[in-house]
Amino acid sequence: MELNLLSGLLLLALLCLAMLPFAIPGVLEVLLALAIGAFVTAALIWFGWLPEDTSLVLLSLAMLTALSALLLWKPLRKLQKTGIRLQEDSAISDFVGTELILTELASKDSDSHIQFCGLEWRVRLDPTEMATTIEAGQAVLISSASVGFLLVKRKSF
C-alpha cells in the first residue's frame, strides 16, 4: 500500500481525533486544530485546489492549523471556564445529596472551606443555584463532588 500525501493527511487527522479523549487541556486544543487543518488540507487536495507538492501541503497544513487554533481558542476557553459540572469520582460520588452546615460564607465567585469527613474541602455554590451567596450556618446539600472540591445548593424544605 502506497502512502500519498492525501492519505497521510487523513491518517494524521484521524489519529489526532482518536487522541482527543486522552489529551490534557492545552494539548487538546492543538490536536483539534491540527485535525481540522489536516482535514481541510486533504479536502483541498481532493478537490484539486491544492497541488500535491509536499512544501505547499505542509505550508497549507501549518496555516490552516494556526487559523483553526485562533478561531477555536476563545470558544474553547469559554467552555472550559463555565465548568457547569465537575467530573465526579466514583469514590466520592456518594457524597452527592449529603447535607452540610456551612461554616463560612459560600459564593459562586470564590471558594470557601469546610471540614467534612475529617478533611478540609473547598466549597463553591453550584452554578444552577439561584442565590449568589449563602451565609454561614445555613444547611446546604452537596450537588457535585470532585477530589477536595464540593459544589453545594441551598437545601429546599
Side-chain angles (χ1 to χ4, degrees), residues 6 47 85 149:
L6 179 63
F47 290 115
R85 283 278 169 231
F149 193 79

Side-chain angles (χ1 to χ4, degrees), residues 92-131:
I92 59 175
S93 63
D94 292 339
F95 292 164
V96 174
T98 302
E99 181 179 331
L100 300 173
I101 304 296
L102 292 176
T103 55
E104 297 178 17
L105 175 78
S107 76
K108 290 183 179 182
D109 301 327
S110 61
D111 296 344
S112 57
H113 297 86
I114 193 167
Q115 288 288 327
F116 177 60
C117 291
L119 298 172
E120 185 171 312
W121 295 73
R122 290 182 306 140
V123 176
R124 187 175 287 190
L125 283 184
D126 192 306
T128 61
E129 173 66 38
M130 292 181 57

Side-chain angles (χ1 to χ4, degrees), residues 28-29 69-85:
L28 182 133
E29 291 88 352
L70 285 173
L71 293 174
L72 290 174
W73 181 77
K74 198 168 189 175
L76 288 176
R77 286 291 156 211
K78 186 177 179 182
L79 188 65
Q80 286 179 345
K81 285 183 182 178
T82 57
I84 301 287
R85 283 278 169 231

Side-chain angles (χ1 to χ4, degrees), residues 11-75:
L11 183 62
L12 173 67
L14 291 174
L15 283 172
C16 288
L17 289 177
M19 292 185 330
L20 281 179
F22 309 106
I24 58 174
V27 175
L28 182 133
E29 291 88 352
V30 172
L31 286 175
L32 185 58
L34 185 58
I36 291 170
F39 271 130
V40 173
T41 302
L44 291 174
I45 293 171
W46 178 265
F47 290 115
W49 297 334
L50 182 68
E52 282 199 55
D53 178 27
T54 306
S55 59
L56 286 175
V57 169
L58 290 176
L59 180 64
S60 172
L61 177 62
M63 290 174 45
L64 289 169
T65 299
L67 180 65
S68 299
L70 285 173
L71 293 174
L72 290 174
W73 181 77
K74 198 168 189 175

